[in-house]
C-alpha cells in the first residue's frame, strides 16, 4: 500500500511494508505508537519539495477543493504510473481519491484505517521524513496557514469593509461616552455655578469654558471669544454676579478640569474618526454613501456583517434592516409590519412628510439595493450611479408632495378623460322657460277633469 501525505514542505509518498499490520485500526495504532515502529512499517518512497509558499498555497487549496493540481499530477505520474506500480494509494479524503482515479486511473482507498495511518504519520513525521525538525515544520505550517487564511479572506486593502464596521461601532461608543462624561461635568460643576447650565447648552463648549475659567470668580477676567459668541459671554458674566452655587476647593476644581480634558480629547478624536469613516465609505461604497450618507451606510454594512452580505439582501430586507424585533413582534401579533429600520435616519426620508415616509423608504431601499450591488461587485473604478438614483428618489418625493398623478398602465393609458365643460357666451344671460320640466298631456287632462268635478 502507498500513502499520499501532504506536508507544509511538499508532497510525500510512503510505502507500507506489511499491509496485514494496518488492516485493523487497533493494529495501526499499536504499530505507530513510537517512532521506531513507525519507521520499520512505513518507508519514504518519494518526496516533492515546494519551491515557495505560493506553490504550497496552490497545493493546499487544490487538496481542500478535492482537485488534482499540476504538481501533484506530475508527482504521481513520475513515482507510480511510470514505474508501473499496482499498489493501492491511500488518501485522506474521498473526493480527492475520486479525482485521482478519474485523471490518472490509480486505485485509491479511504477508510478508518487510512485515517489512523495518516494520524500515525503526522505524529512521527520528523523521524519518517528525515533531515527535518519539528521547529522547521512548525515554521512552514505557520507560513502556510497565514497564506491560506489570506487567500480565503481574499484580502484587499481597498475593499476592506471590516474597518468601516469597527469605525462605526467605535463612533457609537464614543458618542455614549461623551454624553456620559459631559453630563457628569454639568452635574459636578453645577454645584458651583448652576446658572451656567442654561446659558451654555452644548457639551463641548461647556467643558472648554469650565477648563478655561476654573473658579466662577475668574469668569469676569476671562476672555471666551474663541469659545462663545459675544451675547452668550456677556450673559454668562452677568449670571456669575448673582450665582447661588456653593464654594468648592482647589482639589475639587482640578478633578473637574481633568474630566473636562477627557471630554475635549474625546470630542477631538470623534471628529478625526468621523473624517476617517467618511474617507473609507467613499472608497468602499461611494454609491451607498451618496444615497444615505456615511453614517447610515456604515450602520447598514455593520448590521449585515459585510458589504457583500448586504449586497445579497433584497430591497425589502434593506428597507427594514435594523427593525427585526418590531417585524417579528408584528408578525406574531398580526399587526402592521414596520416600514423602515436603519434607513429611516437617511436625509431623504427626513425630508418627506410623515404620510409619505413609508413610500419614500420603499423607493429609497430599492435604489440603495442597486447601488450596494454596484459597489460590492464592481472591480476597479466604481461607476457613480448613486447620483442618478438619488435624483430619482428626490423626483418621486417632489411628485408626492405636489400631488402629481402617477402614470397609468395597461389599456387605461389610451382612454381619454372627460372634456371640460365650456359655456357659450351669453347662454346664462336670460331665463329659458323651455328648459323646465313640463307635465304630459294625459296628466293635464286628468287634472282638468278633477277641477271641473270639484267645481
Amino acid at each position: 500500500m502507498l500513502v499520499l501525505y501532504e506536508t507544509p514542505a511538499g508532497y510525500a509518498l510512503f510505502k507500507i511494508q506489511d499491509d496485514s499490520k494496518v488492516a485493523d485500526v487497533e493494529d495501526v495504532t499499536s504499530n505507530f505508537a513510537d517512532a521506531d515502529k513507525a519507521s520499520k512499517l512505513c518507508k519514504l518512497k518519494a518526496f516533492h519539495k515546494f519551491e515557495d509558499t505560493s506553490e504550497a498555497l496552490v497545493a493546499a487549496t487544490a487538496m481542500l477543493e478535492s482537485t488534482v493540481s499540476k504538481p501533484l499530477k506530475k508527482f504521481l505520474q513520475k513515482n507510480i504510473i511510470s514505474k508501473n506500480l499496482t499498489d493501492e494509494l491511500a488518501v485522506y479524503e474521498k473526493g480527492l481519491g475520486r479525482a485521482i482515479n478519474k485523471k490518472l486511473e490509480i486505485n485509491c482507498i479511504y477508510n478508518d484505517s487510512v485515517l489512523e495511518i495518516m494520524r500515525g504519520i503526522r505524529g512521527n513525521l520528523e523521524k519518517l521524513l528525515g533531515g527535518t525538525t519539528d521547529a522547521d515544520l512548525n515554521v512552514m505550517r505557520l507560513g502556510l496557514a497565514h497564506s491560506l487564511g489570506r487567500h480565503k479572506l481574499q484580502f484587499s486593502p481597498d475593499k476592506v469593509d471590516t474597518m468601516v464596521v469597527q469605525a462605526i461601532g467605535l463612533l457609537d461608543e464614543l458618542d455614549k461616552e461623551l454624553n456620559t462624561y459631559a453630563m457628569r461635568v454639568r452635574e459636578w460643576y453645577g454645584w458651583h455655578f448652576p446658572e451656567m447650565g442654561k446659558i451654555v447648552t452644548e457639551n463641548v463648549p461647556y467643558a472648554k469654558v469650565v477648563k478655561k475659567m476654573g473658579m466662577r470668580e475668574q469668569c469676569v477676567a476671562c476672555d471666551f471669544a474663541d469659545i462663545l459668541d459675544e451675547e452668550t459671554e456677556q450673559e454668562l458674566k452677568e449670571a456669575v454676579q448673582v450665582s447661588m452655587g456653593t464654594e468648592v476647593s482647589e482639589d475639587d476644581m482640578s478633578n473637574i478640569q481633568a474630566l473636562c480634558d477627557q471630554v475635549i480629547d474625546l470630542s477631538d478624536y470623534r471628529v478625526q474618526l468621523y473624517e476617517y469613516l467618511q474617507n473609507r465609505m467613499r472608497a468602499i461604497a461611494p454609491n451607498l454613501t451618496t444615497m444615505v450618507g456615511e453614517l447610515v451606510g456604515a450602520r447598514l454594512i455593520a448590521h449585515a456583517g459585510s458589504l457583500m452580505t448586504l449586497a445579497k439582501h433584497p430591497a425589502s430586507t434593506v428597507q427594514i434592516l435594523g427593525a427585526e424585533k418590531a417585524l417579528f413582534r408584528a408578525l406574531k401579533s398580526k399587526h402592521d409590519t414596520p416600514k423602515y429600520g436603519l434607513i429611516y435616519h437617511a436625509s431623504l426620508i427626513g425630508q418627506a412628510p410623515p404620510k409619505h415616509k413609508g413610500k419614500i423608504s420603499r423607493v429609497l431601499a430599492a435604489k440603495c439595493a442597486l447601488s450596494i450591488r454596484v459597489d460590492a461587485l464592481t472591480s476597479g473604478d466604481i461607476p457613480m450611479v448613486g447620483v442618478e438614483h438619488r435624483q430619482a428618489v428626490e423626483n418621486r418625493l417632489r411628485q408626492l408632495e405636489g400631488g402629481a398623478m402617477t402614470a397609468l398602465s395597461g389599456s387605461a393609458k389610451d382612454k381619454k378623460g372627460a372634456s371640460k365643460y365650456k359655456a357659450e357666451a351669453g347662454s346664462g344671460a336670460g331665463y329659458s322657460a323651455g328648459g323646465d320640466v313640463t307635465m304630459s298631456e294625459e296628466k293635464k287632462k286628468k287634472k282638468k277633469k278633477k277641477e271641473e268635478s270639484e267645481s
Side-chain angles (χ1 to χ4, degrees):
M1 180 193 294
L2 298 173
V3 180
L4 176 64
Y5 188 84
E6 184 191 3
T7 70
Y11 294 118
L13 188 66
F14 293 98
K15 169 72 175 176
I16 302 297
Q17 301 297 330
D18 188 357
D19 292 352
S20 62
K21 292 184 178 181
V22 294
D24 191 27
V25 175
E26 294 180 358
D27 295 338
V28 175
T29 305
S30 61
N31 286 310
F32 280 93
D34 55 54
D36 293 331
K37 288 184 179 180
S39 60
K40 290 178 182 179
L41 179 63
C42 187
K43 299 289 185 182
L44 181 64
K45 188 171 182 63
F47 186 80
H48 170 72
K49 184 180 179 181
F50 295 139
E51 296 291 335
D52 51 19
T53 311
S54 301
E55 186 179 351
L57 175 62
V58 172
T61 306
M63 294 195 80
L64 285 173
E65 296 173 352
S66 300
T67 58
V68 181
S69 61
K70 288 184 179 180
L72 178 59
K73 185 178 179 181
K74 290 181 181 179
F75 176 69
L76 295 176
Q77 284 177 337
K78 179 181 178 182
N79 294 287
I80 296 179
I81 296 176
S82 62
K83 295 181 180 180
N84 297 321
L85 298 179
T86 57
D87 296 32
E88 290 181 326
L89 180 65
V91 295
Y92 78 98
E93 205 266 329
K94 191 182 293 185
L96 179 63
R98 283 197 294 265
I100 293 174
N101 191 2
K102 184 178 180 181
K103 279 198 172 185
L104 302 174
E105 297 182 353
I106 298 175
N107 292 327
C108 298
I109 58 172
Y110 169 80
N111 50 39
D112 294 339
S113 297
V114 170
L115 289 178
E116 196 63 32
I117 292 170
M118 295 288 183
R119 191 177 293 110
I121 292 174
R122 184 166 61 249
N124 302 284
L125 191 59
E126 182 182 357
K127 179 74 173 179
L128 294 175
L129 284 180
T132 59
T133 63
D134 281 339
D136 295 336
L137 290 172
N138 286 335
V139 172
M140 294 176 187
R141 289 190 188 103
L142 184 63
L144 180 59
H146 287 173
S147 300
L148 190 60
R150 282 193 294 270
H151 172 73
K152 282 193 170 185
L153 291 173
Q154 296 180 346
F155 183 79
S156 173
D158 296 331
K159 299 289 286 184
V160 176
D161 46 15
T162 308
M163 304 302 171
V164 171
V165 175
Q166 298 296 332
I168 190 63
L170 179 57
L171 196 68
D172 291 338
E173 290 177 5
L174 275 177
D175 288 337
K176 292 178 183 178
E177 292 296 325
L178 264 173
N179 286 334
T180 304
Y181 282 18
M183 290 301 104
R184 184 62 60 191
V185 169
R186 285 178 176 274
E187 290 177 7
W188 205 348
Y189 195 75
W191 288 98
H192 181 58
F193 190 3
E195 294 81 5
M196 181 176 163
K198 294 182 179 179
I199 298 171
V200 184
T201 55
E202 295 183 7
N203 293 331
V204 177
Y206 188 97
K208 289 181 178 179
V209 169
V210 174
K211 173 67 178 174
K212 191 170 187 178
M213 177 172 56
M215 295 291 185
R216 68 185 178 198
E217 290 80 9
Q218 301 174 10
C219 178
V220 178
C222 290
D223 182 17
F224 302 111
D226 56 336
I227 304 173
L228 306 173
D229 57 81
E230 188 175 348
E231 293 180 1
T232 307
E233 182 180 359
Q234 184 64 31
E235 186 180 356
L236 183 66
K237 291 182 177 180
E238 290 175 358
V240 78
Q241 304 293 334
V242 292
S243 177
M244 301 294 291
T246 61
E247 298 296 331
V248 295
S249 65
E250 290 291 340
D251 189 26
D252 295 333
M253 186 55 62
S254 63
N255 280 281
I256 295 173
Q257 289 180 326
L259 184 57
C260 292
D261 288 334
Q262 294 289 328
V263 173
I264 296 168
D265 292 342
L266 282 176
S267 177
D268 293 340
Y269 177 61
R270 190 199 179 284
V271 173
Q272 178 187 347
L273 183 65
Y274 180 66
E275 291 177 356
Y276 165 76
L277 180 63
Q278 283 181 314
N279 295 331
R280 294 305 299 164
M281 281 298 295
R282 290 194 189 103
I284 293 171
N287 292 299
L288 178 61
T289 304
T290 303
M291 292 297 298
V292 296
E294 297 86 3
L295 291 177
V296 178
R299 287 194 175 94
L300 287 172
I301 294 173
H303 195 82
S306 66
L307 182 63
M308 186 60 69
T309 307
L310 184 61
K312 295 175 183 177
H313 289 325
S316 57
T317 304
V318 174
Q319 181 181 347
I320 61 169
L321 205 64
E324 289 83 1
K325 286 186 180 179
L327 172 66
F328 292 119
R329 185 169 60 247
L331 292 174
K332 187 177 180 180
S333 59
K334 295 182 181 179
H335 289 141
D336 293 338
T337 55
K339 296 179 180 178
Y340 27 65
L342 292 169
I343 205 171
Y344 177 79
H345 300 286
S347 60
L348 286 171
I349 296 181
Q351 295 170 14
K355 63 179 181 179
H356 295 321
K357 285 186 185 293
K359 293 180 180 179
I360 292 300
S361 66
R362 186 164 58 250
V363 175
L364 181 60
K367 295 300 182 182
C368 279
L370 297 175
S371 300
I372 292 163
R373 288 164 193 167
V374 171
D375 292 333
L377 303 174
T378 304
S379 57
D381 294 335
I382 300 176
M384 289 302 296
V385 299
V387 177
E388 181 183 349
H389 290 167
R390 186 181 177 91
Q391 187 65 41
V393 178
E394 289 175 349
N395 290 340
R396 176 61 176 157
L397 178 59
R398 282 195 294 269
Q399 186 183 32
L400 289 172
E401 289 177 345
M405 294 291 292
T406 55
L408 296 174
S409 59
S411 59
K413 284 183 177 180
D414 300 325
K415 293 183 179 180
K416 295 181 180 179
S419 59
K420 188 176 180 181
Y421 171 75
K422 292 183 179 180
E424 296 181 0
S427 61
Y431 175 73
S432 176
D436 292 340
V437 177
T438 59
M439 298 175 67
S440 62
E441 292 295 329
E442 292 182 357
K443 288 184 178 181
K444 284 182 178 180
K445 290 179 180 179
K446 287 181 180 179
K447 188 176 180 181
K448 188 175 180 180
K449 287 181 180 179
K450 187 178 181 180
E451 290 175 355
E452 291 177 351
S453 62
E454 288 178 352
S455 61

